[in-house]
Amino acid sequence: MPLSPAPSTLNQVQHLAFGLALLVAFLGLLVFCGWVFDVPLLRSPGPFPTPMGPVASLGFFLSGTALALLNTRWGPQVRQTIAWLLTALGSGIVLAHLSGQPQVIQWVQRTLAPAAEGLSPIPIVTGINWLMVGLTFHVWHHPAAPHKWIGERTLFVVFSVALLSLLGYLFGLQEFNLFGTSIRMAFNTSLLFMLLSTAFLCSKPQSSLVWLLLKPSSGGKTLRLLLPAAILTPILLSWMRFEGIQHQWLTPELGATLVTVGNVLVFMFLVRSLSWTLDHSDTQQAQTANQLRNSEEKYRAINQTAADAILILDRQGQLIEWNPLAAQLFGHPLNPQGQLGLQNLLVSPPALDPDLTGITSRESEGICQDGTRFPLEYSLARWSVPDGTFFTVIARDITERKKAEEDLKRLNESLDQRARDLNQDLVRKTEQLEFTNKELEAFAFSISHDLRTPLRSINGFSQALLEDYHDKLDQEGQSYLDRIRKASDRMGHLIDDILHLSRITRSEMRHVPVSLSRLGEDIIEELQTIQPDRKVEVTIEDQMTVVGDPSLLRMVVQNLLGNAWKFTAKTPNAKIHFGQRDLEGRTVFFVSDNGAGFNMENANKLFGVFQRLHRTSEFEGNGVGLASVQRILHRHGGHITAVGKVGEGATFTFTVGNA
């Protein structure tokens, strides 16, 4: 709980002071006008015979006005001027009484208002009060503490004298003398002095008893409980005793007894209430102290066992507290002699900004006591308490981290150099590969050209021998020539397949949407056109679409469906299925059949060039088709696998890119 009054409460008290000051000034002006314009009702209202004089009424008008203007632009000048006027007024009244010349005061009053002729001299206590009010104006807003103390005591004198005069009226005393001097002021004079004193105290509550009265502390609660009772209880009980004796309801002895008993009862009740209040306050303080003790123990445990150095500094950067790890890190004792600041510990200390928000982190160099330096990282945060603004620095040695960063940097540089060397080597090998491919391409064209000519000669002469010397050759000779001619044809087909395979790896690819379903349907239609007598149950699923080169993908589908068509030629109720399925979030395509199948022990030979698992006499072909399929799919970022069983068919599963 804060131990200062709420700002809204202070604001209300200052508004009350302004209102009371205006009221005092208005009532003083009203009485003064009553004297100047000879209006008896304004001079002495009510049943009280003693009127307020024109001098006193003018003093109240001036003092109330000065107090109301205290916080304005003209306030200081008006306050000083009226302070001297009131001091002179009070001093003049006191000196006139002490010199035995009170008629001087009467002359001043008659000069101000002719209607004041015959008015009684102003009492000396009124002069003392005006002297005290003037002194209060001099010291009230002075910043020094003794001046505030003097101002509060002078107001206490003014209030006490006015209260004493009012009590005289309350108890019906006709003569009210003390030490041979009349202390009987006019009723409205006494009342306005009390209002003026209250307005003074409320105008600057920080410098008066009002501050303690408004505080939520135990002292403030005690004062709010006791002050009204201390003032009102004795007055009320004494007045009741006085009235009882006046009307003969009580004897003086009984009245004194009742007053005593009443005071005892009231103050017993107050003491009881105060005891409960103080006990509750002590309990809260004990709980707060216990919580604070626990918090300090937690802080001490964290501070002593923290893995980082913790430093606490004031706004000037001077060290107030640090933990053992900080002393170990910087090589200084925990309680350094002299002023040890952040500049003694960091090469580039941060500016301690009082408006810093959040946490600031940065790197710097630490300075040990022997002058050696080391890299560190620190975090800086600001925190404020009623005692001021402070900063916490949490620092850690990052020597090992910096060393690791340097090692990592050197490793990265080494890897970068190795990557550059590998890249250069790769470029060189790529160039060599391109050169080799060009040589292979030239070699393939050379083979195509150089081998085709003798093959055509062999084929032609074999055909000529069969036609021209048919009758001169026996059956075995004709068979040999026929076999030579077929071998040369097969050799020609092998040459064509080699050229075709080389073109697949060199041709430029296009990437467009391709419907595998449509390709499959077209290829099956062509196969049925070639062999219309074949009865094959073909299933081709819809919406099989990929992105790739249309001509190359056509070769894939044509080879796979062509193989399925070929290897089901000797199977009754032949079936071919071209479809797709999801496998681990990826689309895979498959071509399955129930044809001749193959032995899985030879599966690794399926996609090799010129590798065949069946004799040519059983199924025609030269072993290049599946090798072409594999290369095309690899160029599309896919792959192909095969599963089969002899006599039960085969299934080829493949992917195309990210399909």
Side-chain angles (χ1 to χ4, degrees):
M1 177 182 291
L3 296 181
S4 298
S8 58
T9 303
L10 292 177
N11 194 33
Q12 292 173 359
V13 170
Q14 289 176 335
H15 285 160
L16 175 63
F18 180 75
L20 291 176
L22 288 181
L23 179 62
V24 169
F26 173 73
L27 293 178
L29 180 62
L30 201 64
V31 174
F32 185 76
C33 290
W35 284 109
V36 172
F37 299 107
D38 195 15
V39 181
L41 182 62
L42 297 179
R43 295 199 302 262
S44 181
F48 306 104
T50 304
M52 180 194 301
V55 172
S57 61
L58 185 59
F60 283 119
F61 170 71
L62 294 176
S63 58
T65 302
L67 194 57
L69 297 176
L70 210 55
N71 296 319
T72 63
R73 186 176 60 183
W74 309 282
Q77 294 84 357
V78 173
R79 175 176 58 82
Q80 284 296 109
T81 303
I82 293 181
W84 286 113
L85 288 175
L86 296 179
T87 304
L89 173 62
S91 301
I93 294 173
V94 172
L95 290 175
H97 279 281
L98 293 178
S99 63
Q101 301 294 328
Q103 61 271 18
V104 175
I105 305 171
Q106 291 176 302
W107 175 80
V108 173
Q109 297 204 108
R110 288 196 304 271
T111 303
L112 291 174
E117 180 71 32
L119 187 65
S120 299
I122 300 176
I124 189 173
V125 292
T126 305
I128 293 173
N129 271 10
W130 284 123
L131 183 60
M132 294 295 174
V133 171
L135 180 61
T136 303
F137 267 116
H138 280 296
V139 302
W140 190 240
H141 278 69
H142 199 281
H147 292 76
K148 299 175 183 177
W149 183 89
I150 293 172
E152 188 171 2
R153 269 54 179 184
T154 56
L155 290 175
F156 177 76
V157 171
V158 172
F159 187 89
S160 300
V161 171
L163 178 61
L164 194 61
S165 178
L166 282 178
L167 291 178
Y169 285 101
L170 181 63
F171 294 116
L173 298 178
Q174 299 300 322
E175 295 293 335
F176 202 9
N177 297 325
L178 186 63
F179 305 116
T181 301
S182 174
I183 57 174
R184 187 182 183 89
M185 293 184 288
F187 176 81
N188 45 4
T189 300
S190 304
L191 183 61
L192 289 184
F193 269 128
M194 294 179 67
L195 292 177
L196 185 63
S197 302
T198 305
F200 258 112
L201 293 173
C202 294
S203 66
K204 196 172 183 183
Q206 298 90 337
S207 306
S208 66
L209 188 66
V210 177
W211 182 259
L212 180 59
L213 187 66
L214 298 176
K215 287 179 67 174
S217 62
S218 298
K221 294 177 182 178
T222 303
L223 187 61
R224 290 192 294 274
L225 183 65
L226 293 181
L227 187 61
I231 296 175
L232 298 178
T233 300
I235 295 175
L236 181 60
L237 292 177
S238 298
W239 176 78
M240 292 172 63
R241 173 180 175 272
F242 174 77
E243 289 294 322
I245 294 173
Q246 286 289 99
H247 293 84
Q248 297 182 354
W249 298 333
L250 302 172
T251 63
E253 295 79 6
L254 181 58
T257 302
L258 292 177
V259 168
T260 302
V261 171
N263 278 316
V264 169
L265 292 176
V266 169
F267 281 95
M268 282 183 62
F269 173 77
L270 292 176
V271 168
R272 175 187 176 278
S273 301
L274 180 60
S275 299
W276 280 109
T277 301
L278 293 178
D279 180 72
H280 180 67
S281 177
D282 289 343
T283 302
Q284 287 185 327
Q285 288 181 358
Q287 293 175 349
T288 303
N290 187 44
Q291 293 174 353
L292 180 61
R293 193 179 306 110
N294 293 338
S295 178
E296 288 177 347
E297 289 297 329
K298 292 178 182 178
Y299 166 75
R300 187 176 295 107
I302 294 173
N303 195 45
Q304 297 296 319
T305 60
D308 293 328
I310 301 176
L311 308 95
I312 298 178
L313 310 100
D314 59 16
R315 290 184 60 176
Q316 285 70 42
Q318 301 302 317
L319 284 174
I320 299 174
E321 183 179 346
W322 55 3
N323 66 342
L325 191 63
Q328 177 183 347
L329 183 64
F330 294 101
H332 290 275
L334 282 177
N335 297 309
Q337 298 296 325
Q339 295 293 322
L340 187 60
L342 200 58
Q343 69 277 5
N344 304 111
L345 306 178
L346 297 180
V347 172
S348 55
L352 301 181
D353 185 1
D355 297 324
L356 175 69
T357 57
I359 299 175
T360 300
S361 299
R362 63 187 70 174
E363 293 183 3
S364 181
E365 281 188 306
I367 307 174
C368 291
Q369 189 178 21
D370 59 4
T372 59
R373 298 183 178 186
F374 61 94
L376 60 76
E377 180 184 58
Y378 67 86
S379 300
L380 175 67
R382 177 187 64 86
W383 49 280
S384 298
V385 293
D387 292 339
T389 298
F390 300 91
F391 296 86
T392 297
V393 176
I394 299 179
R396 60 198 63 87
D397 187 349
I398 56 173
T399 302
E400 293 299 325
R401 193 179 81 186
K402 286 294 184 181
K403 182 180 177 182
E405 289 176 355
E406 289 296 328
D407 293 342
L408 181 61
K409 181 179 178 181
R410 286 193 294 270
L411 178 60
N412 287 335
E413 291 175 351
S414 175
L415 291 176
D416 289 342
Q417 183 60 42
R418 291 183 62 185
R420 286 192 292 270
D421 293 342
L422 289 173
N423 188 50
Q424 292 177 357
D425 187 53
L426 181 62
V427 170
R428 185 168 57 254
K429 289 184 177 181
T430 301
E431 292 175 350
Q432 292 176 355
L433 183 60
E434 289 178 354
F435 179 75
T436 302
N437 286 336
K438 289 180 179 179
E439 285 188 334
L440 288 175
E441 183 178 356
F443 178 70
F445 279 105
S446 176
I447 289 176
S448 173
H449 181 271
D450 294 341
L451 292 183
R452 284 181 186 277
T453 300
L455 283 177
R456 281 196 295 270
S457 298
I458 293 172
N459 198 5
F461 283 115
S462 298
Q463 185 67 28
L465 284 173
L466 285 174
E467 292 177 357
D468 297 341
Y469 298 93
H470 179 269
D471 54 345
K472 297 180 179 180
L473 294 174
D474 58 10
Q475 187 68 28
E476 186 176 1
Q478 294 180 12
S479 175
Y480 288 159
L481 287 175
D482 185 60
R483 292 174 65 182
I484 291 172
R485 187 176 58 80
K486 290 181 178 179
S488 64
D489 288 339
R490 189 163 63 254
M491 186 66 178
H493 288 305
L494 286 175
I495 292 172
D496 291 338
D497 289 341
I498 290 173
L499 291 175
H500 179 70
L501 191 60
S502 67
R503 292 191 187 101
I504 289 175
T505 58
R506 299 193 315 273
S507 63
E508 184 178 352
M509 288 179 56
R510 293 186 300 144
H511 292 277
V512 296
V514 178
S515 173
L516 299 183
S517 301
R518 178 65 60 84
L519 289 178
E521 292 170 355
D522 293 344
I523 291 167
I524 292 297
E525 185 178 349
E526 293 174 0
L527 292 172
Q528 288 179 339
T529 302
I530 296 172
Q531 294 181 306
D533 296 335
R534 286 283 309 274
K535 302 296 182 182
V536 181
E537 182 182 340
V538 180
T539 302
I540 299 177
E541 296 182 7
D542 296 330
Q543 298 180 347
M544 292 190 295
T545 304
V546 295
V547 175
D549 186 276
S551 59
L552 294 179
L553 291 176
R554 180 179 179 82
M555 294 180 192
V556 171
V557 178
Q558 189 171 22
N559 273 285
L560 293 178
L561 290 178
N563 282 348
W565 185 273
K566 176 171 63 177
F567 289 108
T568 56
K570 300 178 181 181
T571 302
N573 301 321
K575 295 181 180 180
I576 298 174
H577 186 189
F578 183 19
Q580 64 182 355
R581 63 174 179 266
D582 290 331
L583 181 63
E584 297 179 355
R586 190 176 184 185
T587 302
V588 296
F589 305 95
F590 63 90
V591 175
S592 63
D593 63 72
N594 61 346
F598 60 89
N599 192 336
M600 285 297 294
E601 293 180 358
N602 301 320
N604 58 337
K605 300 179 180 180
L606 278 175
F607 302 102
V609 181
F610 305 131
Q611 295 291 330
R612 290 179 51 81
L613 303 184
H614 301 86
R615 293 190 300 275
T616 306
S617 59
E618 294 180 313
F619 300 100
E620 62 180 9
N622 49 33
V624 178
L626 289 179
S628 301
V629 168
Q630 186 183 57
R631 293 192 180 188
I632 292 172
L633 292 176
H634 283 176
R635 291 195 68 187
H636 283 80
H639 66 278
I640 183 169
T641 58
V643 176
K645 190 173 183 181
V646 176
E648 297 184 9
T651 299
F652 290 83
T653 303
F654 65 93
T655 61
V656 180
N658 295 322

Coordinates of all heavy atoms in Angstrom, one line a residue, residues 5 10 13 140 148-149 151-153 155 197-215 223:
P5 N -0.8 10.2 0.3 CA -2.2 10.4 0.0 C -2.4 10.3 -1.5 O -1.5 10.6 -2.3 CB -2.5 11.8 0.5 CG -1.4 12.1 1.5 CD -0.2 11.4 1.1
L10 N -5.5 14.8 -2.6 CA -4.7 16.1 -2.5 C -5.3 17.2 -3.3 O -5.4 18.4 -2.9 CB -3.2 15.9 -2.9 CG -2.4 15.0 -2.0 CD1 -1.0 14.8 -2.6 CD2 -2.3 15.6 -0.6
V13 N -8.3 18.5 -1.5 CA -8.0 19.4 -0.4 C -7.5 20.8 -0.8 O -7.9 21.8 -0.2 CB -6.9 18.7 0.4 CG1 -6.3 19.6 1.5 CG2 -7.4 17.4 1.1
W140 N 5.5 30.5 4.5 CA 4.7 29.3 4.2 C 5.2 28.5 3.0 O 5.2 27.3 2.9 CB 3.2 29.7 4.0 CG 2.3 28.5 3.9 CD1 1.5 28.2 2.9 CD2 2.1 27.5 4.9 NE1 0.8 27.1 3.2 CE2 1.2 26.6 4.4 CE3 2.7 27.3 6.2 CZ2 0.7 25.5 5.1 CZ3 2.2 26.1 6.9 CH2 1.3 25.3 6.3
K148 N 8.9 25.8 7.1 CA 7.6 25.1 7.2 C 7.2 24.8 8.6 O 6.1 24.9 9.0 CB 7.8 23.8 6.4 CG 8.1 24.0 4.9 CD 8.3 22.7 4.2 CE 8.7 22.9 2.7 NZ 9.0 21.6 2.0
W149 N 8.2 24.4 9.4 CA 7.9 24.2 10.8 C 7.4 25.4 11.5 O 6.4 25.4 12.3 CB 9.2 23.7 11.5 CG 9.0 23.3 12.9 CD1 8.7 22.1 13.4 CD2 9.2 24.1 14.1 NE1 8.6 22.1 14.8 CE2 9.0 23.3 15.2 CE3 9.6 25.4 14.2 CZ2 9.1 23.9 16.5 CZ3 9.7 26.0 15.5 CH2 9.4 25.2 16.6
G151 N 5.9 28.0 10.1 CA 4.6 28.4 9.6 C 3.5 27.5 10.2 O 2.4 28.1 10.6
E152 N 3.7 26.2 10.4 CA 2.7 25.4 11.0 C 2.5 25.8 12.5 O 1.3 25.8 13.0 CB 3.1 23.9 10.9 CG 2.0 23.0 11.3 CD 2.4 21.5 11.1 OE1 3.5 21.3 10.5 OE2 1.6 20.6 11.3
R153 N 3.5 26.2 13.2 CA 3.4 26.6 14.6 C 2.7 27.9 14.8 O 1.8 28.1 15.7 CB 4.8 26.6 15.3 CG 5.2 25.4 16.0 CD 5.2 24.2 15.0 NE 5.7 23.0 15.6 CZ 5.8 21.9 14.9 NH1 5.4 21.9 13.6 NH2 6.2 20.7 15.5
L155 N 0.4 29.1 12.7 CA -1.0 28.8 12.5 C -1.7 28.1 13.7 O -2.8 28.4 13.9 CB -1.1 27.9 11.2 CG -0.8 28.6 9.9 CD1 -0.9 27.6 8.7 CD2 -1.8 29.7 9.6
S197 N -6.9 29.8 9.1 CA -5.8 28.8 9.5 C -6.0 27.5 8.8 O -5.1 26.9 8.2 CB -5.9 28.6 11.0 OG -5.7 29.8 11.7
T198 N -7.3 27.1 8.7 CA -7.6 25.8 8.0 C -7.3 25.9 6.5 O -6.7 25.0 5.9 CB -9.1 25.4 8.2 OG1 -9.4 25.4 9.6 CG2 -9.4 24.1 7.5
A199 N -7.6 27.1 5.9 CA -7.3 27.3 4.5 C -5.8 27.2 4.2 O -5.3 26.7 3.2 CB -7.9 28.6 4.0
F200 N -5.0 27.9 5.2 CA -3.5 27.8 5.0 C -3.0 26.4 5.0 O -2.2 26.0 4.2 CB -2.9 28.6 6.2 CG -2.4 30.0 5.8 CD1 -3.0 31.1 6.3 CD2 -1.4 30.1 4.9 CE1 -2.6 32.3 6.0 CE2 -0.9 31.4 4.6 CZ -1.5 32.5 5.1
L201 N -3.5 25.6 6.0 CA -3.0 24.2 6.1 C -3.4 23.4 4.9 O -2.6 22.5 4.4 CB -3.6 23.6 7.4 CG -3.1 24.1 8.7 CD1 -3.9 23.5 9.9 CD2 -1.6 23.9 8.9
C202 N -4.6 23.6 4.3 CA -5.0 22.8 3.2 C -4.4 23.3 1.9 O -4.3 22.6 0.9 CB -6.5 22.9 3.0 SG -7.4 22.1 4.4
S203 N -3.9 24.6 1.8 CA -3.3 25.1 0.6 C -2.0 24.4 0.2 O -1.6 24.3 -0.9 CB -3.1 26.6 0.7 OG -2.0 26.8 1.7
K204 N -1.3 23.9 1.2 CA -0.1 23.1 1.0 C 0.0 22.0 1.9 O 0.7 22.0 2.9 CB 1.2 24.0 1.1 CG 2.4 23.4 0.5 CD 3.5 24.4 0.5 CE 4.8 23.8 -0.2 NZ 5.9 24.7 -0.2
P205 N -0.8 20.9 1.7 CA -0.9 19.8 2.7 C 0.5 19.1 2.9 O 0.7 18.5 3.9 CB -1.9 18.9 2.0 CG -1.9 19.2 0.6 CD -1.6 20.7 0.5
Q206 N 1.4 19.1 1.9 CA 2.7 18.4 2.1 C 3.5 19.0 3.2 O 4.4 18.4 3.8 CB 3.5 18.5 0.8 CG 2.8 17.8 -0.4 CD 2.0 18.7 -1.2 OE1 1.5 19.8 -0.7 NE2 1.7 18.4 -2.5
S207 N 3.2 20.3 3.6 CA 4.0 21.0 4.6 C 3.3 21.1 5.9 O 3.7 21.9 6.8 CB 4.4 22.4 4.1 OG 5.0 22.3 2.8
S208 N 2.2 20.4 6.1 CA 1.4 20.6 7.3 C 0.9 19.2 7.9 O 1.2 18.2 7.3 CB 0.2 21.5 7.0 OG -0.7 20.9 6.1
L209 N 0.2 19.4 9.0 CA -0.4 18.2 9.6 C -1.5 17.5 8.7 O -1.8 16.4 8.9 CB -1.1 18.7 10.9 CG -1.7 17.6 11.8 CD1 -0.5 16.8 12.4 CD2 -2.5 18.2 13.0
V210 N -2.0 18.3 7.7 CA -2.9 17.7 6.8 C -2.4 16.5 6.1 O -3.1 15.5 5.8 CB -3.4 18.8 5.8 CG1 -4.4 18.2 4.8 CG2 -4.1 19.9 6.6
W211 N -1.1 16.6 5.7 CA -0.4 15.5 5.0 C -0.5 14.1 5.8 O -0.9 13.1 5.3 CB 1.1 15.8 4.8 CG 1.8 14.8 4.0 CD1 2.7 13.9 4.5 CD2 1.8 14.6 2.6 NE1 3.2 13.1 3.5 CE2 2.7 13.5 2.3 CE3 1.1 15.2 1.5 CZ2 2.9 13.0 1.0 CZ3 1.3 14.7 0.3 CH2 2.2 13.7 0.0
L212 N -0.2 14.2 7.1 CA -0.3 13.0 7.9 C -1.8 12.6 8.1 O -2.1 11.4 8.1 CB 0.3 13.3 9.3 CG 0.3 12.1 10.3 CD1 1.0 10.9 9.8 CD2 0.9 12.6 11.6
L213 N -2.7 13.6 8.2 CA -4.1 13.3 8.3 C -4.6 12.5 7.1 O -5.5 11.7 7.2 CB -4.9 14.6 8.5 CG -6.4 14.5 8.9 CD1 -6.5 13.8 10.2 CD2 -7.0 15.8 8.8
L214 N -4.1 12.8 5.9 CA -4.6 12.2 4.7 C -3.9 10.9 4.3 O -4.4 10.1 3.5 CB -4.4 13.1 3.5 CG -5.2 14.4 3.6 CD1 -4.8 15.3 2.4 CD2 -6.7 14.2 3.6
K215 N -2.7 10.6 5.0 CA -2.0 9.4 4.6 C -2.7 8.1 5.0 O -3.3 8.1 6.1 CB -0.6 9.4 5.3 CG 0.4 10.4 4.7 CD 1.7 10.5 5.4 CE 2.5 9.2 5.2 NZ 3.8 9.2 5.8
L223 N -4.4 9.6 13.7 CA -4.8 11.0 13.7 C -6.2 11.2 13.3 O -6.9 12.0 14.0 CB -3.8 11.8 12.8 CG -3.9 13.3 12.9 CD1 -3.6 13.8 14.3 CD2 -3.0 13.9 11.8

